[in-house]
Amino acid sequence: MRIPPMSSLKGKWVLITGASSGFGAAAARAFGAEGAKLLLGARRVDRLKRVAAESRKAGAGEALFHELDVSKTPSVEKFISWVREKIGNRRSATGSLHVLINNAGGAHGLDTIVEGKDADWEAMIQSNVLGVLRMTRAALPLMPHDAGACIINIGSVAGHTAYEGGAVYCAAKAGELQITRALRLELLGTGIRVGTVDPGLAETEFSLVRFKGDAASAKKVYAGTHPLTAEDIAEILVWIAGRPSHVNIDELIVKPVDQAAVGKVYRRKL
Ligand SMILES: NC(=O)c1ccc[n+]([C@@H]2O[C@H](COP(=O)([O-])OP(=O)(O)OC[C@H]3O[C@@H](n4cnc5c(N)ncnc54)[C@H](OP(=O)(O)O)[C@@H]3O)[C@@H](O)[C@H]2O)c1
């Protein structure tokens, strides 16, 4: 029996949001190593510059970057205008957007609902939910039909299981999951693939952001356990995008072996 070949990512345009750190930065390097051409967005442009240089070194055909705040529609529109300038407005296999990775997001605070802050709630809904919608709406017209293009959203185990102090982050990632499912239905017949990767405990800047720069609290999250790395997720994203064009990876939950469930983590004595 013939195994269908992996779709080559060489020379294909790949757009990654939240590429300044964590999964997004690792994904930039990993897609770069496949010879893809990268369009990287985030708010910290100095960090994007560094990631772009690392991606070029890894083998990226191009590694371009531009400021992006997915929580603001004008910023998303400006970013997509820049993308159009760079790749042209064609829907051909090489001159259009092949992969969109909606990765920008994160958690803010670990307050219970009764102690919750409006600013934290709004930031989480803005980036994890509305950001995915805004980016998808703006980028979809640049994606070719029937050419193996794909949209991969980054969800979380938090979208599947609620935990104390996580109400809004869990709601946001559950929202991301349902947006992914609705989009797959809406794009039926276009040949554009749609999926979500939902990681568990992964050591990135995620906890530093959640605890507002408190490095000691962030470190505690990973104490004694062996979490996922950003590279673990990046490798999976490349694998998904590289499946043959008729194969859609719908939903993937990825956890470290030390995490049997949300809140059930094995920790070695330090
Ligand atoms: N680490 C985990 O345990 C884990 C588990 C499950 C899911 N996730 C999800 O994985 C995704 C990536 O997180 P990470 O773990 O890699 O954390 P990270 O290292 O903190 O990276 C988050 C990225 O998102 C960007 N971002 C945040 N808000 C943004 C906005 N409004 N506009 C544009 N970019 C924005 C950040 O860039 P700037 O600050 O430069 O804008 C940064 O590049 C997030 O959606 C997160 O919820 C993480």
Side-chain angles (χ1 to χ4, degrees):
M1 203 166 64
R2 195 180 68 88
I3 297 174
M6 172 169 162
S7 307
S8 172
L9 297 166
K10 193 172 167 63
K12 301 270 174 66
W13 286 108
V14 176
L15 192 171
I16 303 170
T17 71
S20 59
S21 70
F23 300 159
R29 294 186 289 266
F31 278 93
E34 298 294 316
K37 296 190 288 190
L38 308 174
L39 301 151
L40 309 176
R43 293 165 301 182
R44 290 172 295 173
V45 176
D46 53 327
R47 297 280 295 264
L48 287 178
K49 190 174 175 190
R50 197 191 314 161
V51 173
E54 291 164 359
S55 307
R56 263 182 236 114
K57 207 168 161 200
E62 302 249 23
L64 311 175
F65 59 92
H66 190 281
E67 186 180 3
L68 169 67
D69 184 346
V70 299
S71 72
K72 297 189 169 66
T73 298
S75 174
V76 170
E77 286 172 354
K78 206 163 158 192
F79 183 84
I80 291 295
S81 303
W82 167 80
V83 169
R84 276 181 203 277
E85 252 171 54
K86 296 297 168 197
I87 74 175
N89 200 3
R90 294 158 289 158
R91 272 184 160 160
S92 69
T94 49
S96 53
L97 185 60
H98 192 70
V99 180
L100 167 64
I101 300 182
N102 281 315
N103 164 73
H108 298 273
L110 196 58
D111 291 327
T112 58
I113 294 168
V114 78
E115 290 171 339
K117 318 280 183 305
D118 279 10
D120 288 341
W121 293 353
E122 281 161 15
M124 285 186 272
I125 299 297
Q126 278 293 349
S127 59
N128 296 290
V129 180
L130 296 176
V132 171
L133 291 168
R134 287 187 185 102
M135 281 305 301
T136 305
R137 178 177 64 189
L140 254 176
L142 304 178
M143 301 188 80
H145 290 190
D146 300 317
C150 71
I151 298 173
I152 311 173
N153 295 330
I154 306 299
S156 169
V157 290
H160 298 263
T161 308
Y163 56 88
E164 298 99 319
V168 179
Y169 183 61
C170 294
K173 289 305 192 186
E176 174 278 334
L177 180 59
Q178 296 304 342
I179 289 165
T180 305
R181 290 172 175 169
L183 183 67
R184 193 178 309 116
L185 294 168
E186 289 175 8
L187 293 183
L188 181 67
T190 64
I192 298 175
R193 303 178 287 162
V194 182
T196 180
V197 174
D198 300 348
L201 198 65
E203 192 163 8
T204 60
E205 292 180 20
F206 177 86
S207 293
L208 199 61
V209 173
R210 167 164 255 174
F211 294 113
K212 302 173 195 298
D214 176 350
S217 298
K219 208 165 168 230
K220 256 193 219 154
V221 174
Y222 312 107
T225 192
H226 190 165
L228 298 170
T229 66
E231 283 70 27
D232 293 329
I233 298 301
E235 183 188 24
I236 288 165
L237 296 174
V238 168
W239 177 78
I240 290 174
R243 292 307 82 220
S245 60
H246 66 288
V247 178
N248 194 87
I249 306 298
D250 281 23
E251 298 173 10
L252 206 58
I253 295 178
V254 187
K255 298 198 276 68
V257 71
D258 278 352
Q259 183 180 33
V262 173
K264 183 87 182 160
V265 174
Y266 178 68
R267 295 185 194 276
R268 287 152 198 84
K269 287 197 173 44
L270 294 174

